[in-house]
Amino acid sequence: MKKILIFTSTRADYGLLHRLLKKLKKKYVTKLVVSGSHFSKKYGETVKEINNDKIKIFKKIKWNKFDDNNENIVNNFSKTLTKFSLILKDNKFDLIILLGDRFETLSVAITGHLFRIPIAHIHGGELTSGSIDDAMRHSITKLSNLHFVSHKEYKRRVAQLGENPNNIFVVGSLGAENIQSINYLSKKNLEKQLNFKFLKKNILINFHPETLNSKSEKKQIKEILESLKKFKDINKIFTMPGIDKGSNHISNEINKFIKKNKNSYLFKSLGYKKYFSLIKNVDFMLGNSSSGILEMPSFKKVTINLGDRQHGRLQAESIINLDISSKKITKTIKNFYNDKYSLRLKRTKNIYSIKNTSSKIVQILDKVNFKNLNYKKFYDLKI
């Protein structure tokens, strides 16, 4: 039986991969390697979510520090690469499955490539030109042999990078599929688990550093919080930013804000079930998370997308792009509650939503001869 290895390092990629992982286990010997922020108390120790799903962890790659400076990021990149190489040295796999664009995911891709193990990459071809992850994503694409993309436009872009179109498959977004199949918590149950009460008005805020922007995250989070403190009668529900350069300052400022402003909450990690259940009960999302682009349109709800981090991703009509300015954010929130965007929502369709995404990936893998994947040539487009 073919052996497949899956790598996860954050709450975000596990939330997308868990459904696919369970389906693969029914047909393949499937092993899970866990690393990154899954083991950080600051980020919610989300390895517990994997354990709660009763998914066996094959190997753990733990980091000593979770500082958001460049030196520590490089050290964690190096440690992941070294530890993963020992896993591949002692174990044989027919395929490695990777999702997304994290630096530690790139280290796994480099290692797998050097060990001549084919790689299947999920969510390639996308653009996030305000983030350093953009270069990571395209690098993982070039190290990979199979590509599961979320939109036909991204298939074209992966081919533009020299990948054979016959190995690029448009399957949609795993996150959008999760929305279609999840067993949502009731509002009352969710309030109990999160230990807070919904108000008449509720906002979900997901904000991460713009890692390629010369503008300071200090100024950006100041502008956002300056706007939010004006809305006393609205629940402001924050999620913890991911591990990026500048994320510590953002989380510190949010913690200061919630101590001084009532109806404000910060959650280290919600888990995919509570997270999507929360989205069902908020009015809109504010920030720069990929979730606002890939998943929020499925709920027919507005995303106020701030700054450049997600610049380049194809978007539904429900997304409102905004510069990070307190004045503009305040005006847009007021416009929302004055029903200025109802027509956008009526026309909104999630362009990343394709039925049975995870099943499509498994069906494609069933037909692939893994042994032939490493012998790939650069595919030249005819211009």
Side-chain angles (χ1 to χ4, degrees), residues 204-208 224 285-289 303-307 310:
L204 177 61
I205 304 111
N206 300 328
F207 186 72
H208 308 271
I224 295 167
M285 185 185 294
L286 175 74
N288 58 5
S289 168
T303 297
I304 301 177
N305 181 52
L306 300 177
Q310 298 300 329

Side-chain angles (χ1 to χ4, degrees), residues 292-303:
I293 310 295
L294 300 174
E295 295 152 9
M296 200 67 174
S298 290
F299 292 91
K300 296 271 185 189
K301 293 188 177 184
V302 161
T303 297

Side-chain angles (χ1 to χ4, degrees), residues 139-151:
S139 298
I140 296 168
T141 290
K142 286 309 304 171
L143 293 164
S144 298
N145 311 81
L146 293 174
H147 310 275
F148 297 108
V149 299
S150 60
H151 192 276

